[in-house]
Structures are given as C-alpha cells and as structure tokens.
Amino acid sequence: RYLLTDGTHLIGAGAWETITGTGFTPSPRLVVWTPALGTSDTDGDDERMINTTDTKNFLYVDAGITGLGGPLYGNTIVFAYRQIYKLISTGEATSAYERRTIRTDIGCIRHKTIVLAEDESGQPALYWLSHRGPYRMGANGIEFVGRDVQDRWDTVNLGATGVVGWGMFLPEK
C-alpha cells in the first residue's frame, strides 16, 4: 500500500489485499523491506522480499498503517492514525530494522499529508496532518505547528468521504 526507500532498502507497509497469495499474509499493520541494495545473490533482483529462518525482513506495528515518511536523520517513520513509530537501522542483514514507538496519542490521518521538507532554519523536517492538526518532526522533536490555524482545523470533518488534506513542499516559497 505504501512504499519508500531509505537509499539502501525498499520499504513497504500496509496491504490492499485481504487474502494470502504466494507472499506475506496481508496485514494493514505489516512493514516489510528488501535486502540491502547490491547484497543479494539473485543477479540484480534486490527488490524481492525474503522470509527465511535466518533472515527477518518484516515487523508489525500496533495499528493499521496510514503512511510512511522520511528518511529523516537516517530513520524511516511509520504512521498509524494515532501512533508514530521509527524504524531504526540495525546495520545487520538478518534483521535490518527495529521498531521504536515514538507517540501513541497522535499519528497521521492519511499518507498524502506527509511531506519531507525543511523547518524555518533550513533543517530537514517531516510534516503531516494528525487528527489534532498539523505537526512536524525535526531537530526539535515533534512539534504542533497549527496554532495559527486551530480555529479552521476545528471545523474539519475528519469523517468526510472526500479528501481532507494533502501536502506539498515548495522550496522556493
């Protein structure tokens, strides 16, 4: 459902399917990744997912995934509606990432609101919309950045069937 690269691995999360095919059992909570680029012996077929007894290239989070963000400071961020997780690289081929829970009170309402951009100091920052409004993660941790639009955000219908929000980084602005 969601796809991202950290420059070394291809990372996928969530699932559209509801029944098992020839691969992983579909789950909206599943995060999978490929072997590190250039490390497989399958003649350039590094995008394949593998699951053997000596290699673990998947993990689960506690709720359905709503998007992926980053990489930010070398970490991939996994969002659920009211949870945020960080995938931390272990540097090991047998289990390339471990999961850290960052927040359990906010998350991201939809993947199209996640934007990798810069903060006011030019530092890398990840922006998104939560059920409480706009947030960012960067050099100062996680910050609510919606005080000046809180009156408008309070009127947003998060249950709408149409698009509630999306984001785009315009560096020249």
Side-chain angles (χ1 to χ4, degrees):
R1 190 166 194 182
Y2 308 110
L3 196 61
L4 183 83
T5 182
D6 64 1
T8 303
H9 300 271
L10 190 60
I11 302 166
W16 289 111
E17 298 86 10
T18 57
I19 58 172
T20 302
T22 58
F24 287 90
T25 301
S27 171
R29 302 181 310 111
L30 177 67
V31 179
V32 296
W33 54 87
T34 63
L37 187 62
T39 61
S40 75
D41 58 359
T42 55
D43 195 26
D45 206 10
D46 291 326
E47 76 279 0
R48 294 218 182 259
M49 304 291 178
I50 57 170
N51 183 20
T52 65
T53 55
D54 60 346
T55 300
K56 181 182 174 197
N57 71 335
F58 69 95
L59 57 80
Y60 290 92
V61 296
D62 299 329
I65 297 167
T66 57
L68 296 173
L72 182 66
Y73 298 111
N75 299 303
T76 298
I77 308 302
V78 179
F79 291 96
Y81 194 80
R82 291 187 188 221
Q83 288 91 17
I84 303 172
Y85 305 93
K86 183 184 339 183
L87 296 184
I88 300 172
S89 177
T90 64
E92 298 177 16
T94 56
S95 185
Y97 298 98
E98 66 180 51
R99 174 192 100 172
R100 292 276 166 86
T101 302
I102 304 298
R103 296 283 293 260
T104 58
D105 58 335
I106 60 164
C108 178
I109 61 170
R110 78 190 284 262
H111 68 284
K112 291 184 180 182
T113 71
I114 303 168
V115 179
L116 184 60
E118 298 174 352
D119 64 15
E120 64 276 6
S121 302
Q123 297 296 313
L126 194 62
Y127 292 80
W128 71 92
L129 290 177
S130 81
H131 68 287
R132 293 183 184 167
Y135 277 81
R136 79 171 167 205
M137 178 187 296
N140 296 321
I142 295 178
E143 301 172 284
F144 179 70
V145 292
R147 299 216 191 293
D148 56 341
V149 294
Q150 189 66 52
D151 59 331
R152 293 198 182 260
W153 187 255
D154 289 342
T155 67
V156 172
N157 177 5
L158 293 174
T161 57
V163 175
V164 172
W166 54 273
M168 179 186 305
F169 177 46
L170 301 169
E172 51 289 332
K173 303 241 180 204

